[in-house]
């Protein structure tokens, strides 16, 4: 039966890291900005709340007032509301992507 001997002079995986980025100057130059802008996260959270509250609210609003207890029609209305929120999210995301492209093109034009 073979086994590997542990050699005290050999570095383990944690000690083999060749980077020496723990100096104060390296820590000051590090970029810790978030990968996703805050506005995008706020939009996502807003649409998440709308996706939860919208269909549920429409269901309970319409089940007894408009459809007089017919839960099938109220459920269908809630499903339509969920699709409306989803489509609105896709449209907002596409508009945001277009505005980012236009801003990049405008910046490239000014740089020339």
């Amino acid at each position: 039966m073979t086994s590997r001997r542990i050699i005290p002079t050999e570095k383990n995986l944690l000690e083999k890291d060749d980077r020496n980025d723990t100096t104060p100057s390296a820590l000051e130059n590090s970029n810790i900005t978030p990968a996703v802008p805050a506005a995008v996260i706020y939009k996502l959270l807003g649409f998440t709340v709308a996706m939860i509250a919208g269909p549920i609210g429409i269901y309970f609003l319409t089940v007894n007032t408009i459809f007089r207890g017919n839960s099938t029609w109220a459920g269908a209305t809630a499903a339509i509301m969920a699709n409306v929120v989803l489509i609105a999210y896709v449209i907002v995301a596409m508009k945001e992507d277009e505005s980012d492209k236009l801003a990049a093109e405008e910046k490239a034009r000014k740089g020339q």
Side-chain angles (χ1 to χ4, degrees), residues 32-74:
I32 57 171
T33 57
V36 180
V40 173
I41 294 173
Y42 294 143
K43 285 179 193 175
L44 182 62
L45 288 175
F47 277 104
T48 300
V49 169
M51 190 61 136
I52 293 169
I56 293 173
I58 288 293
Y59 174 81
F60 286 111
L61 183 74
T62 61
V63 72
N64 289 323
T65 56
I66 296 174
F67 299 117
R68 295 184 183 91
N70 189 345
S71 61
T72 303
W73 286 103

Side-chain angles (χ1 to χ4, degrees), residues 87-98:
I87 291 169
Y89 178 73
V90 170
I91 291 171
V92 167
M94 288 175 61
K95 294 275 187 191
E96 182 178 323
D97 191 34
E98 288 175 5

Side-chain angles (χ1 to χ4, degrees), residues 2-111:
T2 62
S3 64
R4 184 167 187 248
R5 292 185 184 186
I6 299 174
I7 301 171
T9 58
E10 186 178 305
K11 291 183 177 181
N12 62 22
L13 279 175
L14 296 175
E15 294 170 340
K16 284 184 181 179
D17 190 10
D18 294 330
R19 295 180 295 147
N20 191 8
D21 291 344
T22 57
T23 60
S25 62
L27 294 176
E28 289 173 5
N29 294 332
S30 67
N31 185 6
I32 57 171
T33 57
V36 180
V40 173
I41 294 173
Y42 294 143
K43 285 179 193 175
L44 182 62
L45 288 175
F47 277 104
T48 300
V49 169
M51 190 61 136
I52 293 169
I56 293 173
I58 288 293
Y59 174 81
F60 286 111
L61 183 74
T62 61
V63 72
N64 289 323
T65 56
I66 296 174
F67 299 117
R68 295 184 183 91
N70 189 345
S71 61
T72 303
W73 286 103
T77 307
I80 291 169
M81 182 63 184
N83 285 310
V84 166
V85 171
L86 182 64
I87 291 169
Y89 178 73
V90 170
I91 291 171
V92 167
M94 288 175 61
K95 294 275 187 191
E96 182 178 323
D97 191 34
E98 288 175 5
S99 66
D100 290 344
K101 286 180 185 176
L102 291 175
E105 289 174 2
E106 185 69 28
K107 188 176 181 181
R109 274 190 239 136
K110 286 183 179 180

